[in-house]
Amino acid sequence: DLIDAKTKFESTVTQLETDESIETNRIDSEYSKTLKAIASDKKETMERLQSRWDKTLNEFDTNCNGQTASCAMEHPGWDTDWSGWNPQTIPSLTIPVGQFTIDLSTIAGDLPSIESFPLSIDLSRVMPLCSMLPTDTSILITSSGKQRDASISLLQNAVLRVLTSIPPGKAKFVLIDPVSLGQSFASILHLADYEEFLFH
């Protein structure tokens, strides 16, 4: 009985060792295969995200540059030479009334900090602020007394921009200035001498 038990014990231990080796190899193989699948999936995902990141940044950059260039071409700055300017023959769909600064680092949360998503464009962009014809044209300005002059300057700028963006005689203005009795727009009221119904 002792010999039979010893033989059976040795046989069982051998079988257990064999089973353990087979199971270990299977687990190692499955583990290695899983790691490779995860690495491959991560690589594909990162490549897809990097492509989308680069494409979106480039589209945004192109769009910003296009808007700025178009605005500069159609609406020269007041400090540029206007000697070659001619009145519009068709209305411009954009009427710039100012500009604003975009800080990309403050939009939509934190920016990616890993090297896989580099910022290939400037974080700070200056964009034209435009009224868009025919629907998005309303401007409401509210201010304290301290900002009154700046607010009036913005309104004067908007009126001049309308005059240079719309064909002559096509824009009409209704000006209500009870505080200054029209003095806020004195620099342009003389245009009514040429077009009686331009200002009301």
Side-chain angles (χ1 to χ4, degrees):
D1 289 343
L2 182 60
I3 292 173
D4 289 343
K6 184 177 180 181
T7 300
K8 187 174 182 180
F9 173 76
E10 291 175 351
S11 174
T12 302
V13 168
T14 301
Q15 184 63 44
L16 288 173
E17 290 175 347
T18 301
D19 292 345
E20 179 187 15
S21 177
I22 293 173
E23 184 65 14
T24 301
N25 289 336
R26 186 191 68 78
I27 291 174
D28 287 343
S29 176
E30 188 70 23
Y31 175 73
S32 178
K33 187 187 299 183
T34 302
L35 283 182
K36 288 180 179 178
I38 291 174
S40 176
D41 184 59
K42 178 182 177 182
K43 181 181 178 183
E44 291 177 1
T45 301
M46 289 298 290
E47 288 176 349
R48 187 169 63 253
L49 290 174
Q50 287 170 350
S51 175
R52 181 180 173 189
W53 174 259
D54 292 338
K55 180 182 177 183
T56 302
L57 278 182
N58 289 333
E59 287 178 350
F60 175 79
D61 191 49
T62 300
N63 186 284
C64 288
N65 292 336
Q67 288 187 49
T68 302
S70 175
C71 189
M73 183 183 302
E74 295 183 14
H75 310 280
W78 298 129
D79 57 346
T80 58
D81 181 10
W82 282 68
S83 60
W85 178 82
N86 292 311
Q88 297 276 14
T89 55
I90 57 174
S92 174
L93 295 180
T94 60
I95 301 177
V97 293
Q99 61 185 19
F100 64 99
T101 301
I102 301 174
D103 185 359
L104 297 182
S105 64
T106 63
I107 297 178
D110 294 333
L111 291 169
S113 57
I114 59 177
E115 295 180 357
S116 302
F117 301 101
L119 287 168
S120 55
I121 63 175
D122 294 333
L123 287 179
S124 182
R125 308 297 294 264
V126 177
M127 297 292 297
L129 177 64
C130 298
S131 290
M132 305 292 292
L133 294 175
T135 55
D136 302 321
T137 55
S138 297
I139 302 172
L140 173 64
I141 304 167
T142 61
S143 73
S144 64
K146 295 179 181 179
Q147 296 297 323
R148 183 174 184 276
D149 291 342
S151 300
I152 291 174
S153 294
L154 177 55
L155 287 172
Q156 292 170 339
N157 177 71
V159 170
L160 289 174
R161 281 301 184 187
V162 169
L163 287 171
T164 57
S165 302
I166 306 294
K170 297 297 183 181
K172 307 295 182 187
F173 299 89
V174 177
L175 305 176
I176 303 172
D177 187 18
V179 176
S180 299
L181 301 178
Q183 290 305 306
S184 298
F185 299 97
S187 60
I188 56 174
L189 289 179
H190 68 281
L191 294 176
D193 297 338
Y194 302 94
E195 179 65 49
E196 181 180 356
F197 300 104
L198 184 63
F199 294 103
H200 296 283

